Amino acid sequence: MTAPNRDGRTRCGWANGDLLTEYHDQEWGVPVHDDRRHFEFLVLEAAQAGLSWLTVLRRREGYRQAFCGFDPELVARLSERDIESLLQNPGIIRNRAKVESAVHNARRLLELQDAGSFDAYLWDFVDGSPVVGAWEHIEQIPASTVLSERLSKDLRRRGFRFVGPVVCYAHLQATGLVNDHLVSCFRQREVAGADGS
């Protein structure tokens, strides 16, 4: 469902608050071509599992500080002592499995980078071009797809954690590999024309 906001523009129905509207209008679905940004979304989407995206967005700056500006090389070096310290940090979601997965996934991402960029790896799943949805109602947008299941299976094969098909689909949507703005949303065409670089 979409609805006109105060500025008269029609948005996806979930963009219904200042923080969510800003994220929707500026970031969601814009093609990303930077490994650090991909890692940021990987950490945040794993943190979201079982929670709302708004909960995660409110802690985004806390995550940025706690996880070394989402630099995977620095995060990969975090020790068990660092992890214990992070679990005391009120600026992030203090779930041990999620915190440990962020460090673990940073290490797996660096291994994957040995063969090329994480960005190139991800975009290969969509042959280099975003998949554009044709959804008229928010209820039509799936939580996962065959594409996200393929990505999830391959990431898990490579040792990544907290990368189930739903988390992977959220990543594909957030980073613009999939453009799931509703057809009536003003951002669908704008995002389709963004290069994300």
Side-chain angles (χ1 to χ4, degrees):
M1 186 172 83
T2 56
N5 283 47
R6 291 176 299 220
D7 59 9
R9 295 189 290 187
T10 300
R11 294 174 171 82
C12 299
W14 59 264
N16 56 1
D18 290 343
L19 199 54
L20 287 172
T21 299
E22 180 182 337
Y23 171 70
H24 170 274
D25 289 4
Q26 297 177 15
E27 292 184 76
W28 193 66
V30 176
V32 168
H33 291 289
D34 176 78
D35 280 6
R36 187 183 286 204
R37 291 279 289 154
H38 278 296
F39 180 63
E40 174 179 357
F41 280 109
L42 203 61
V43 170
L44 296 178
E45 282 137 15
Q48 181 195 358
L51 303 169
S52 74
W53 185 240
L54 182 58
T55 298
V56 174
L57 280 180
R58 287 178 174 150
R59 290 173 171 79
R60 191 176 193 179
E61 189 53 40
Y63 271 91
R64 187 170 283 120
Q65 293 174 15
F67 288 96
C68 314
F70 297 107
D71 183 331
E73 289 190 20
L74 297 178
V75 174
R77 293 185 203 144
L78 295 179
S79 66
E80 286 301 320
R81 181 178 290 179
D82 294 324
I83 289 172
E84 291 301 324
S85 177
L86 286 172
L87 291 171
Q88 306 306 313
N89 185 337
I92 66 170
I93 295 158
R94 294 174 286 179
N95 175 296
R96 179 177 293 277
K98 292 177 180 180
V99 170
E100 288 177 344
S101 77
V103 177
H104 178 85
N105 288 347
R107 294 169 183 161
R108 301 296 77 78
L109 189 147
L110 294 181
E111 290 170 0
L112 198 150
Q113 282 180 329
D114 287 341
S117 72
F118 187 55
D119 178 66
Y121 162 80
L122 290 171
W123 281 92
D124 192 49
F125 278 87
V126 294
D127 296 325
S129 297
V131 175
V132 180
W135 315 115
E136 294 183 8
H137 306 285
I138 199 164
E139 298 81 12
Q140 295 175 310
I141 301 174
S144 65
T145 62
V146 171
L147 173 61
S148 71
E149 289 168 6
R150 279 180 42 233
L151 176 58
S152 171
K153 183 176 180 180
D154 197 70
L155 286 171
R156 285 184 290 187
R157 180 181 65 81
R158 295 170 184 272
F160 284 77
R161 299 178 187 163
F162 269 92
V163 287
V166 173
V167 168
C168 283
Y169 197 62
H171 186 89
L172 294 169
Q173 292 171 307
T175 59
L177 285 93
V178 171
N179 178 351
D180 268 349
H181 285 279
L182 300 181
V183 293
S184 55
C185 176
F186 83 98
R187 284 294 284 161
Q188 194 201 46
R189 285 194 187 111
E190 288 185 359
V191 165
D195 67 6
S197 53

